[in-house]
Amino acid sequence: TLGDYVGKGDGSKGTLDFLIELQARCNLVPLLGNHDFLMRSVLRGDLSAGAWFSLGGQTVLGSYGTDSDTAAIPESHRHFLEHCRLFFESPTHFFVHACYDPSLPLAETDERTLLWKHLAEGIPSPHWSGKTAVVGHSSQDSGKTLDAAHLICIDTACVTGGRLTALDVL
């Protein structure tokens, strides 16, 4: 899964509950999205709650039945966010939340690129690895995946009424 489990509506708690339950039944590889990164940063004490609130944090806390108390977030949710990855690679594809640097290994790519860089800034050239990139983050308001052959964006604007898209890469 490509991230942004929280901060995209009033179902953040339920989404994390679902993913944790799903992870117990299958080999789920959750990636960190920029909204998840913000929540994790607040829980770690690396970001003020006030900064998070201006970016949707109050809506997230509202799903836990509070408007300001991060103590309402259960340990299982904190653990889940701590163990989300920044990227995942298979023999033919790699998966990131937002984007990549075509000239760098993913492990050497900065968090801003992996979590925040929007495809509106430009579609990167093929990755040096030759693998196909699968990304989210950049909503495709057309409701269709963006397929640039070397990059596939599966964010089909679910949060604004589009579809939730999955991709079988086998």
Side-chain angles (χ1 to χ4, degrees):
T1 52
L2 297 180
D4 277 356
Y5 315 118
V6 303
K8 293 290 188 169
D10 58 7
S12 296
K13 178 185 179 299
T15 299
L16 291 180
D17 285 338
F18 174 79
L19 290 169
I20 290 165
E21 192 274 326
L22 183 62
Q23 195 170 41
R25 292 187 289 135
C26 68
N27 183 22
L28 179 71
V29 180
L31 300 185
L32 193 68
N34 57 312
H35 289 270
D36 315 314
F37 172 82
L38 292 170
M39 180 174 175
R40 188 179 76 178
S41 295
V42 168
L43 296 173
R44 286 180 171 179
D46 298 336
L47 178 70
S48 74
W52 183 40
F53 289 168
S54 69
L55 298 167
Q58 280 188 304
T59 301
V60 174
L61 288 178
S63 73
Y64 291 92
T66 183
D67 61 359
S68 62
D69 187 5
T70 59
I73 300 168
E75 182 58 36
S76 60
H77 291 199
R78 296 166 188 261
H79 183 269
F80 179 85
L81 292 172
E82 283 296 331
H83 290 88
C84 287
R85 302 179 190 191
L86 287 172
F87 60 87
F88 178 76
E89 293 187 72
S90 77
T92 57
H93 293 75
F94 68 86
F95 306 82
V96 298
H97 174 67
C99 202
Y100 61 93
D101 183 319
S103 64
L104 291 176
L106 295 170
E108 296 176 20
T109 304
D110 63 281
E111 284 183 344
R112 183 216 170 279
T113 299
L114 296 172
L115 296 173
W116 295 91
K117 188 173 182 181
H118 201 281
L119 294 179
E121 297 177 45
I123 295 176
S125 58
H127 193 255
W128 70 271
S129 68
K131 295 179 181 183
T132 301
V134 180
V135 304
H137 187 65
S138 298
S139 292
Q140 303 303 302
D141 294 330
S142 67
K144 298 178 181 177
T145 58
L146 169 67
D147 188 346
H150 68 281
L151 176 147
I152 303 168
C153 179
I154 64 169
D155 186 335
T156 50
C158 175
V159 73
T160 58
R163 300 179 314 218
L164 179 60
T165 300
L167 178 67
D168 184 352
V169 298
L170 294 178

